[in-house]
Amino acid sequence: MKNKSKGFNIFLIVIGVFVFFSVLYFSLHKNVNISLSYLKDLLYKPFMDANNNVDLIGKNLNVELKSEINDLKKLTGIDNVLTDFNYVNATVIERNNSYWLNKLTINKGKSSGIDIGQAVVVSEGLVGKITSISDNTATVKLITSSDNDNKISVKIKYKETYIYKVLEYDSGLLVVKGINNDIELDKNTEVITSGLSDIYPSGIVIGYVMDLKSDKYGVSKTAYIESKVDFDNLRFVSVIERPS
């Protein structure tokens, strides 16, 4: 009796296995009906999703690489009006969230000829200056730093001449204060370094005039400057050094 029961159980297992693989076969090759299609999805969807995820990761990496290549191309296309200077290209390797718009660290230092006070740029304009160095790294103070001493001598085209002023970062904005009240500057007028400093050579683009407003006393005006540099996404920069 036990042997018959055992044999019957084996028979049921065999039948079950046969039915399972039959359903699986037809679901994969015949697409018999909705229930079989559902079984196919149930069995294979996890593997399909895994493959799709791999493809998505690959696409994202490809987009990131293309973006980095474009950034590097921009560096090589910096307007070479500064003929008395050389460029050292570098990669941003460290940035603290607490000081995001104040400073960053690059992967070039003394061994690459980097020195304190040198200007740092990208194709869109001035980024900042070197404030400390080691053999293989350097710290860059950004022009958006809130330090009180972070001021830059600039010149702004006005009619047939230039007006010379100081640019600073005030309350989250790049501004040029103390402009004569009778001066009218066109929107998008270029603001560049004046060269009246050993740090920043003349002619480096800083930004463009977006607005010009009189102070509350009506004595002078303040120009509000917009930089085209994407300070949130700096990855590659160039350090300007004088040739030896």
Side-chain angles (χ1 to χ4, degrees):
M1 190 73 178
K2 289 183 178 180
N3 289 336
K4 287 183 179 181
S5 177
K6 184 177 180 180
F8 183 72
N9 289 338
I10 293 174
F11 174 76
L12 289 178
I13 292 172
V14 171
I15 292 297
V17 171
F18 174 77
V19 171
F20 173 79
F21 282 103
S22 296
V23 170
L24 180 62
Y25 174 82
F26 283 108
S27 69
L28 294 174
H29 294 84
K30 304 293 184 181
N31 198 20
V32 175
N33 54 37
I34 295 176
S35 62
L36 296 182
S37 177
Y38 174 77
L39 179 60
K40 176 182 175 182
D41 289 342
L42 183 64
L43 291 171
Y44 282 89
K45 194 173 186 306
F47 300 101
M48 294 169 65
D49 287 344
N51 289 331
N52 289 337
N53 287 337
V54 171
D55 291 340
L56 182 61
I57 292 171
K59 289 179 180 178
N60 288 340
L61 287 174
N62 192 39
V63 169
E64 182 70 14
L65 287 172
K66 286 183 178 179
S67 176
E68 290 188 1
I69 290 171
N70 287 333
D71 286 346
L72 288 170
K73 284 181 177 179
K74 286 181 180 180
L75 276 185
T76 61
I78 292 174
D79 189 7
N80 194 20
V81 296
L82 307 172
T83 55
D84 292 333
F85 295 82
N86 297 322
Y87 294 97
V88 177
N89 294 333
T91 301
V92 177
I93 58 172
E94 185 180 350
R95 208 165 176 187
N96 190 314
N97 286 332
S98 301
Y99 305 98
W100 193 257
L101 292 177
N102 285 355
K103 61 183 180 179
L104 54 79
T105 303
I106 59 175
N107 67 339
K108 297 291 175 67
K110 290 180 182 178
S111 60
S112 300
I114 306 300
D115 201 358
I116 292 175
Q118 292 174 337
V120 180
V121 299
V122 292
S123 59
E124 293 83 3
L126 183 64
V127 170
K129 63 182 178 182
I130 302 296
T131 55
S132 65
I133 54 174
S134 67
D135 285 339
N136 298 306
T137 64
T139 299
V140 180
K141 178 192 284 187
L142 304 176
I143 64 172
T144 53
S145 172
S146 56
D147 288 0
N148 291 330
D149 63 343
N150 194 28
K151 294 178 173 60
I152 304 168
S153 178
V154 299
K155 59 184 179 180
I156 306 172
K157 184 73 174 178
Y158 178 63
K159 295 183 178 180
E160 300 302 319
T161 184
Y162 288 96
I163 57 174
Y164 290 80
K165 293 294 177 181
V166 173
L167 177 137
E168 56 188 294
Y169 192 69
D170 184 18
S171 301
L173 298 170
L174 291 170
V175 296
V176 176
K177 299 178 180 178
I179 298 173
N180 290 344
N181 211 38
D182 58 347
I183 289 178
E184 292 294 337
L185 295 174
D186 294 331
K187 191 173 182 179
N188 291 319
T189 299
E190 193 175 60
V191 180
I192 60 178
T193 53
S194 67
L196 301 178
S197 167
D198 290 335
I199 296 175
Y200 299 114
S202 176
I204 303 176
V205 175
I206 295 176
Y208 303 85
V209 175
M210 289 293 103
D211 200 4
L212 186 66
K213 294 181 179 180
S214 294
D215 63 23
K216 61 182 179 181
Y217 304 107
V219 175
S220 63
K221 293 179 178 178
T222 296
Y224 295 87
I225 314 302
E226 180 184 65
S227 171
K228 299 299 183 183
V229 176
D230 186 358
F231 285 96
D232 283 328
N233 295 293
L234 289 170
R235 294 185 292 183
F236 307 105
V237 298
S238 289
V239 182
I240 300 177
E241 62 168 3
R242 287 183 174 84
S244 58

